[in-house]
Amino acid sequence: MPYRPKIWMLCLLSGILTPFVASAHAVLEESAPPAGASVRPGDVDLKFRYNSRIDRARSRLTLIRPDHSRETVSITADGPPDIIAAHLDLTPGAYVVRWQVLAVDGHITRGDVPFTVTAP
Ligand SMILES: [Cu+2]
């Protein structure tokens, strides 16, 4: 009887391999400002550090303002390959930075970092 791989064998194999593939997803390890932080109004430096290299050209930062309007934030072109950074000029209120990054394994991850700009 000829050997033919069965579907269940492929499923088993993909189940074994998936955790290793998943481990290459970009996970946010550190952010400035940290989630939930309060910062001073004016110049705010954003910095997001991941556990792996990310494709900066295919990653995106969106600023959600206190009035819920959204704008795309331009990402600083240079810097280490596991960090995305940007500069903002903000007035007091509650903000969210929504990040979406493409990791070297080709997978996209996303998340929110909320923070507050306090009155001077
Ligand atoms: Cu992945």
Side-chain angles (χ1 to χ4, degrees), residues 21-26 103 105-107:
V21 175
S23 68
H25 288 182
D105 73 343
H107 292 145

Side-chain angles (χ1 to χ4, degrees), residues 74-112:
S74 53
I75 294 170
T76 306
D78 51 358
D82 59 342
I83 286 175
I84 51 176
H87 299 284
L88 297 171
D89 188 16
L90 301 177
T91 54
Y95 293 83
V96 175
V97 173
R98 183 157 292 169
W99 57 265
Q100 176 180 305
V101 300
L102 177 68
V104 285
D105 73 343
H107 292 145
I108 290 170
T109 50
R110 42 179 76 87
D112 286 351

